[in-house]
Amino acid sequence: NPLDAMVGAMKEVTGFKPGDRVMGRCTGAFSEYALIELAEAIAAPSALSWEEAASVPMTFLVSYDMLVLQGRLKAGEWLLAHGGSSGIGTMAIQLARLEGAHVVVTAGTDEKCAACVKLGANGAINYRTQDFVAETMKITGGHGADDRPVVRAGLASREDQPHGLGGEDDREGRRRQLQ
C-alpha cells in the first residue's frame, strides 16, 4: 500500500506528522499519492480546499521564481503577461503588483480581460480582436514592456516571443528595440 510506505517515511521527518496537510512541488504532484522532499513541503492553510492548496505551489512558486528570483522584476517596470487569466497569469499579476510593477495582460475574451483588470492588471488586451503590440504601447504610454520574462500560456520565456515592446534601450539596457 503506497500510503503505508509514505507514513513509514514520515518517521524520519521533523516539522510534520502523519495527517498534516501539506502542499508543495514534487515529481508526481498530480498523482493520488506522492513523496515530497521536506524542503519543498509547506503547511497547507486549513482555510484552503485541497484543490486550492494544490494550485498554490504550482502557480505561486513558479511565478515567484520566474518574476522575482530570476527575473528581478522591480517597482515601476512594465510586465507583459500573455494568458493573463491562466493560473500562472493571475498569480503573475498579483506578484508583479506586490513588487510595485505595472502589468499588461492578454486574454482571449473581453470577460477574461475584465477579470484580469479587476485582479490588478493595469491594462488588458483581447488578443483575438486587438493588436497587442500597439495596445501595449498605448497602455504603457509609449514605454513598452521591460525586458523581463514574458508570461505566456502559463510559461515564461525570453526566446521566440515578441518582447521588447518599447523604444530605445534605457540606461540599464533592459528594453529592446521594437522589431
Side-chain angles (χ1 to χ4, degrees):
N1 179 350
L3 191 53
D4 290 338
M6 284 184 223
V7 170
M10 288 288 298
K11 292 176 184 173
E12 298 176 24
V13 172
T14 58
F16 294 107
K17 63 185 182 316
D20 284 352
R21 289 172 38 100
V22 296
M23 58 188 188
R25 296 185 301 181
C26 66
T27 302
F30 298 113
S31 304
E32 185 176 356
Y33 300 105
L35 289 174
I36 186 171
E37 294 288 333
L38 182 58
E40 294 285 342
I42 305 165
S46 60
L48 297 181
S49 69
W50 279 114
E51 294 80 9
E52 291 167 331
S55 71
V56 169
M58 187 58 66
T59 58
F60 175 77
L61 296 176
V62 167
S63 296
Y64 187 82
D65 182 62
M66 168 183 64
L67 297 175
V68 178
L69 298 179
Q70 292 185 44
R72 296 185 296 291
L73 185 67
K74 293 180 178 60
E77 292 185 328
W78 283 94
L79 174 72
L80 174 61
H82 294 290
S85 62
S86 70
I88 299 292
T90 57
M91 189 58 68
I93 292 168
Q94 295 172 81
L95 278 172
R97 298 298 292 171
L98 282 172
E99 292 295 313
H102 310 289
V103 184
V104 178
V105 301
T106 64
T109 68
D110 292 339
E111 293 79 16
K112 289 179 180 180
C113 286
C116 290
V117 169
K118 185 175 181 181
L119 193 56
N122 297 88
I125 303 159
N126 183 333
Y127 63 82
R128 291 190 171 124
T129 61
Q130 298 174 287
D131 175 344
F132 85 84
V133 174
E135 290 299 315
T136 298
M137 294 303 288
K138 185 172 152 185
I139 292 167
T140 63
H143 177 86
D146 287 292
D147 186 21
R148 291 286 177 248
V150 172
V151 178
R152 55 178 189 159
L155 301 173
S157 174
R158 288 185 184 269
E159 300 174 5
D160 300 325
Q161 63 189 359
H163 55 296
L165 302 173
E168 291 84 52
D169 291 341
D170 64 5
R171 283 177 275 147
E172 295 181 46
R174 287 194 300 243
R175 292 192 308 146
R176 297 182 185 169
Q177 187 88 14
L178 183 62
Q179 298 178 21

